[in-house]
Amino acid sequence: MPKNTKAIKISDLIANKPWLKKINDYKYSENTINTRKRFLIVCEGQTEEMYFKSFPVLADIKTISKGSTKSKLVETVKHYTEDEEYDEIWCVFDMDYNPKITNQQEDFNSAIKKAIILEYKCAYSNDAFELWFVLHYKYLDQKELRTEYFKILSKYWNINYEKDGKSKKFSRIVYNKLINDPKSEQKEAIRNAKKLHESQMNQSYHVQNPVTTVYLLVDELNLHLRK
């Protein structure tokens, strides 16, 4: 049954009665509520979580750090969506190659495929998430382990990245550090990452190296930056 509404007299409209203003304000708030886009970003590590949490956006972002295997990370996403609805769900993880871990490549591939099946979006990197930071400064197309990225960042940031860069305190300032550093350029990082990705996207995920699809998530978040 339709909701009963109060009849509005023509004389009241002409007189601009105060109670009409309250009705209009209410209708406005009804039409504008929950218009902000909602993101769930489930990350493998603290560095990624703090970085995405720092984006100054007019959107609702929930970031979660979930250290686990890649496949388990994707599987746990449903736990965070049982009581909440999101417009976009992103899984963020990298290879971080370790010869002591068996089936690492299979797990990496399986996680990405599983995310696609579940209609989650995936920002994966090979070998490490820090490749995304490096691409703000230079184009790098040689296969490297994360330790090489750490050396490059240590040089640009004048720190021991492996020792101090992974701390929560430092992770909180990385976004602003990259934005404000005159030697760093996010648009260039996006171009570099896109070039790497497009040149290898027809290969198996674990073979793509170096690669980072973090630029896809960054592109999306940039659409919601505060002006």
Side-chain angles (χ1 to χ4, degrees):
M1 181 181 292
K3 187 176 180 180
N4 291 330
T5 57
K6 183 177 180 180
I8 301 174
K9 298 178 182 178
I10 297 298
S11 58
D12 287 342
L13 284 173
I14 295 172
N16 195 22
K17 294 289 186 179
W19 68 270
L20 283 176
K21 184 177 187 302
K22 290 182 180 180
I23 290 177
N24 289 333
D25 286 347
Y26 175 74
K27 287 181 178 179
Y28 177 77
S29 63
E30 265 193 330
N31 291 334
T32 57
I33 195 167
N34 292 332
T35 57
R36 290 157 64 102
K37 194 163 186 177
R38 304 193 71 206
F39 291 85
L40 173 64
I41 306 175
V42 182
C43 306
E44 184 179 16
Q46 174 181 269
T47 301
E48 298 94 311
E49 180 193 5
M50 293 294 104
Y51 173 72
F52 291 117
K53 199 171 186 177
S54 300
F55 272 69
V57 294
L58 290 170
D60 294 323
I61 298 181
K62 182 174 183 178
T63 60
I64 297 169
S65 177
K66 187 70 178 177
S68 65
T69 64
K70 328 304 177 187
S71 294
K72 285 183 179 178
L73 182 148
V74 174
E75 290 170 4
T76 59
V77 170
K78 67 176 69 175
H79 170 73
Y80 302 106
T81 58
E82 289 175 352
D83 300 318
E84 298 285 344
E85 291 186 4
Y86 297 95
D87 298 298
E88 290 194 18
I89 298 171
W90 286 81
C91 300
V92 183
F93 54 83
D94 49 24
M95 174 70 84
D96 272 353
Y97 177 72
N98 186 337
K100 296 180 182 180
I101 300 177
T102 58
N103 300 321
Q104 191 176 20
Q105 296 178 344
E106 291 81 355
D107 182 51
F108 186 73
N109 292 342
S110 176
I112 297 170
K113 292 175 182 177
K114 187 174 294 184
I116 293 172
I117 291 172
L118 293 171
E119 298 185 340
Y120 304 153
K121 298 190 177 184
C122 198
Y124 63 87
S125 303
N126 191 3
D127 182 60
F129 181 77
E130 280 79 8
L131 170 62
W132 167 246
F133 297 159
V134 171
L135 293 177
H136 284 68
Y137 296 95
K138 60 187 293 187
Y139 181 71
L140 188 156
D141 60 1
Q142 297 297 313
K143 291 183 180 181
E144 301 286 0
L145 295 178
R146 59 189 181 277
T147 50
E148 185 60 29
Y149 305 149
F150 296 169
K151 290 178 183 177
I152 295 172
L153 294 174
S154 295
K155 179 181 177 182
Y156 279 109
W157 292 344
N158 195 30
I159 64 167
N160 183 328
Y161 183 82
E162 190 165 6
K163 180 182 177 182
D164 303 315
K166 305 289 283 184
S167 70
K168 190 170 186 177
K169 180 180 179 181
F170 189 84
S171 296
R172 284 174 173 162
I173 67 170
V174 169
Y175 176 84
N176 287 327
K177 193 172 188 66
L178 289 167
I179 292 296
N180 296 321
D181 187 345
K183 296 180 182 178
S184 165
E185 178 55 64
Q186 189 189 88
K187 289 182 180 179
E188 189 65 22
I190 292 172
R191 284 191 291 268
N192 288 338
K194 185 177 181 181
K195 182 178 178 181
L196 286 173
H197 183 214
E198 290 182 345
S199 68
Q200 304 175 81
M201 61 195 312
N202 292 327
Q203 302 181 61
S204 297
Y205 299 115
H206 75 278
V207 177
Q208 299 173 24
N209 186 356
V211 73
T212 179
T213 62
V214 170
Y215 76 95
L216 296 172
L217 176 50
V218 171
D219 259 343
E220 181 60 39
L221 294 178
N222 282 344
L223 295 176
H224 305 276
L225 289 178
R226 297 191 187 99
K227 302 300 182 181

